[in-house]
Amino acid sequence: MFDLTGKTIVVTGSCRGIGLAIARALHGQGANVVITARKPAQYPDVLATFATAPERVRLVPCDITSPESVAALFESALAWQGTLYGCVANAGSRGSGQAVCDMDWDAWQAHVGANLHGTFATLQHAAKHLCRQGKGGRLMAISSLSAVKGTAGFADYGAGKAAITSLCRSLALELAASAITVNSVLPGWVETEMNRDVLADRRQYESIRRLRIPLGRWATPEEIAPLAVYLMSEESRYHTGDVITVDGGYRIF
């Protein structure tokens, strides 16, 4: 079950955090994995985390805010393996941390662009290649709990992530006839570098953990990854257009 042997999957923003955990989980199930970073030189040891079968991993620089860079990413993946099976659109930015009344237009554009426009470019290029191949495939995007729960100071982040869920549902309808499934995943609070300031503030961290998460703890990136394995697998072939929350019960509390 969940065997991905011989299947090539692109995972953007995958040199750390949730993206890296997803890439490693897919690789562990036999997939050929293309991992990306805007500046790969910042992650000199990332390939060493794929110690078993390193020949099934390729690191490609990619800036998702550049359509040309995204196009080059998929051309590189195809040149490497000759075919594409799936894509996990994970890369994005955290947001400006500014209130709406204080946010300038450039900050809004930058963060909505990185999250929404970058995801659009990634899924669009992946979808075009999958449709051209005519063999079906799997697409998924990492959104956020902020897509459905407002976060003061991060309206740019939440708006971009909310739009991603709508984008995925529209894509699911457009691509269903081609046997391509499309789903989005909304992680809650996860212990990643992106949340380093909250993790460093023990009072805020403990408040979220004790008062807002019924399971009583934050997630690790490795607890998000198994869902990606399922959504990339043949076993998920009848699962499309979904928005799946993984938040320890935060949303229902």
Side-chain angles (χ1 to χ4, degrees):
M1 187 174 287
F2 307 139
D3 180 21
L4 297 171
T5 300
K7 300 184 183 300
T8 301
I9 302 172
V10 172
V11 185
T12 63
S14 43
C15 283
R16 64 177 184 177
I18 293 173
L20 178 57
I22 288 174
R24 293 185 64 189
L26 297 172
H27 180 264
Q29 294 300 116
N32 305 311
V33 182
V34 179
I35 62 174
T36 80
R38 192 162 57 89
K39 298 179 180 179
Q42 294 180 347
Y43 308 96
D45 302 321
V46 68
L47 290 175
T49 66
F50 298 87
T52 304
E55 71 279 1
R56 289 194 284 104
V57 184
R58 185 178 182 88
L59 173 58
V60 178
C62 180
D63 177 359
I64 61 166
T65 65
S66 164
E68 295 78 16
S69 182
V70 175
L73 164 64
F74 285 96
E75 292 300 329
S76 179
L78 289 169
W80 178 43
Q81 290 293 330
T83 188
L84 180 69
Y85 172 76
C87 175
V88 180
N90 170 73
S93 70
R94 187 183 180 201
S96 64
Q98 298 175 321
V100 170
C101 290
D102 299 325
M103 192 183 308
D104 61 39
W105 182 249
D106 289 343
W108 171 264
Q109 287 280 72
H111 294 290
V112 172
N115 288 308
L116 175 57
H117 302 161
T119 298
F120 169 82
T122 301
L123 295 179
Q124 182 189 53
H125 280 281
K128 285 181 177 180
H129 287 295
L130 292 176
C131 288
R132 192 174 299 124
Q133 291 173 176
K135 299 179 180 179
R138 302 285 178 269
L139 299 176
M140 66 170 281
I142 298 297
S143 178
S144 169
L145 190 62
S146 293
V148 293
K149 301 283 283 188
T151 305
F154 291 93
D156 48 0
Y157 178 77
K161 291 295 189 179
I164 286 172
T165 63
S166 179
L167 170 64
C168 286
R169 282 177 162 163
S170 295
L171 263 178
L173 291 173
E174 293 178 7
L175 300 176
S178 298
I180 300 169
T181 64
V182 190
N183 295 282
S184 57
V185 173
L186 281 59
W189 288 98
V190 184
E191 294 181 348
T192 65
E193 186 177 337
M194 184 175 285
N195 290 320
R196 59 186 177 277
D197 57 334
V198 183
L199 291 168
D201 184 340
R202 299 308 296 180
R203 182 175 179 178
Q204 185 179 7
Y205 170 84
E206 287 296 327
S207 176
I208 294 169
R209 182 186 68 80
R210 292 186 295 106
L211 302 179
R212 298 301 304 274
I213 305 175
L215 285 182
R217 62 180 179 83
W218 286 38
T220 66
E222 289 73 23
E223 289 176 305
I224 309 301
L227 182 55
V229 170
Y230 161 69
L231 290 175
M232 286 290 109
S233 72
E234 286 296 326
E235 283 73 16
S236 70
R237 59 188 173 273
Y238 200 65
H239 194 160
T240 195
D242 204 357
V243 178
I244 307 170
T245 303
V246 188
D247 65 355
Y250 186 104
R251 190 178 178 187
I252 62 172
F253 189 51

